Amino acid sequence: MTLRRRDTLKLAGAAVAASTVGTAGCLDAVGFGDDGYDRWLAARDEGVAFAYADVAEIDDLEEDVSPDGGGTDPDDPLLAIPRGGAVLVGLAANVALAGTGLDALVSLDDDEADDAYDSTVEGLLVTGAIVLEGQFDVEEVDELLGTADGLFERRYERTDELGDYDLYRPADDGLGDGAVVVSDEVVVQVFDDDPEAVVEEALDAAAGDAERAADAFDGFGWALETAGEGQLVVGAFGEDPETEGEVAPGSEDAPDPDEAIEGVDGADGFVCSLSADAEARETVAEFAGIFSGLDDGTEADLEAVLGASATETSVEIEDGRVTATATWRDEGTE
């Protein structure tokens, strides 16, 4: 897996404020573990890629809370990788969900969605499907799906059931094919040539009836457990068959999109998370990567670049597994 800056568009446009580490909220982020977002990550032969946002926390992000007065290095992998996830989350919330009208339920930068609707979105996962977790008024969601009439929107109608979920399909012909399933705790949206198959794959993985990426790919479960909790989490393992290249997010504003993110371009897979505390004016990144055939030179490169811009950094390497923790503190005056 080569982490290239071009690949941020594969996991991406509005980048939320977390991409500049100008973040707020609480370090006790949720979403991973028992009944967490990782249960939706189905195993595919070619690999997996995802970005997850704790919407309840990202909703309160403030751009003016920036470690060290904004003096962080955007090429630091522990900032560049989450930036790719931020782009993906922003595109999912502002573009992909807009096709069904469900973007109205997701607010990444204000309280408009919270005030206007009874349904609340707590977590947003982007992978083979877009998964919204929270508390949903199914009648409200039905109305949004059935009345979407914007320029790029399509109306969806309830056509069947999939287990405990209501299945919606497009009410008329249009570009591409899609499916949405709805329950009072989860909404899953898919655009694909065979959308019902992708939906069923995600539902089976979540229910434990199909193999999950954490179990299928060597070391990926460890990476999720090590670095998978945060307000913003990005991960990948394996290759992207659509591009005949490797999967991985990077910095969308780097001058050379083909330039690999220095130091971590040889990872087989990784998980990287970002969380922040506005009161403490502190941002923390966690990284866990799986590498094959590390030599002394590569290890030295990793130690040099991971968290290079942070106030405090810790890097550990053992048996091809790399962990890093970086903390940025804004020690300036307000």
Side-chain angles (χ1 to χ4, degrees):
M1 169 179 298
T2 301
L3 301 185
R4 298 190 184 279
R5 292 181 169 85
R6 171 189 302 280
D7 297 323
T8 207
L9 300 177
K10 287 295 175 186
L11 291 182
V16 295
S19 67
T20 59
V21 201
T23 52
C26 172
L27 289 172
D28 296 327
V30 297
F32 174 78
D34 293 342
D35 296 326
Y37 71 82
D38 50 305
R39 75 188 192 278
W40 295 98
L41 300 177
R44 293 183 171 185
D45 291 341
E46 66 270 15
V48 65
F50 77 91
Y52 169 81
D54 181 342
V55 176
E57 296 295 339
I58 286 186
D59 187 52
D60 295 328
L61 294 177
E62 298 175 4
E63 294 188 30
D64 60 346
V65 182
S66 173
D68 299 325
T72 53
D73 179 3
D75 291 329
D76 184 333
L78 298 192
L79 301 184
I81 293 172
R83 181 175 289 108
V87 173
L88 176 59
V89 167
L91 285 178
N94 295 291
V95 179
L97 289 173
T100 57
L102 296 178
D103 61 312
L105 299 179
V106 183
S107 173
L108 295 180
D109 56 8
D110 56 45
D111 295 328
E112 181 179 350
D114 296 338
D115 294 339
Y117 297 94
D118 293 329
S119 301
T120 59
V121 177
E122 298 169 359
L124 189 160
L125 173 70
V126 188
T127 180
I130 297 175
V131 182
L132 305 178
E133 295 189 289
Q135 300 297 322
F136 298 98
D137 181 329
V138 294
E139 293 183 359
E140 184 175 68
V141 175
D142 178 270
E143 182 176 357
L144 284 170
L145 291 170
T147 58
D149 59 0
L151 180 61
F152 299 105
E153 294 180 347
R154 297 175 69 186
R155 292 187 304 106
Y156 279 65
E157 60 185 5
R158 185 179 180 279
T159 60
D160 203 346
E161 294 182 354
L162 284 178
D164 296 330
Y165 296 83
D166 293 328
L167 172 66
Y168 289 78
R169 298 299 304 273
D172 47 34
D173 293 334
L175 294 175
D177 200 0
V180 179
V181 295
V182 179
S183 74
D184 57 5
E185 294 185 345
V186 175
V187 174
V188 181
Q189 174 179 303
V190 171
F191 293 109
D192 192 83
D193 292 337
D194 189 359
E196 288 190 37
V198 178
V199 166
E200 290 180 5
E201 176 185 68
L203 295 180
D204 287 345
D209 296 330
E211 191 173 26
R212 298 173 180 173
D215 301 319
F217 305 126
D218 186 27
F220 194 60
W222 163 82
L224 283 165
E225 291 179 1
T226 302
E229 291 190 43
Q231 294 164 356
L232 180 67
V233 189
V234 184
F237 192 103
E239 295 189 348
D240 180 351
E242 296 181 359
T243 60
E244 297 181 356
E246 294 81 357
V247 184
S251 170
E252 91 269 18
D253 56 4
D256 181 0
D258 289 318
E259 180 184 356
I261 298 178
E262 183 181 0
V264 294
D265 57 319
D268 299 328
F270 72 92
V271 174
C272 186
S273 63
L274 196 68
S275 297
D277 186 329
E279 290 188 10
R281 304 190 69 81
E282 179 176 281
T283 301
V284 177
E286 300 279 353
F287 174 87
I290 306 104
F291 292 76
S292 299
L294 281 179
D295 56 30
D296 291 343
T298 305
E299 291 186 6
D301 290 342
L302 287 167
E303 292 172 342
V305 299
L306 291 174
S309 67
T311 309
E312 295 179 4
T313 304
S314 172
V315 179
E316 296 185 5
I317 302 174
E318 184 176 356
D319 296 329
R321 296 188 174 186
V322 178
T323 58
T325 300
T327 303
W328 290 264
R329 295 191 181 91
D330 184 357
E331 299 174 347
T333 59
E334 296 185 12

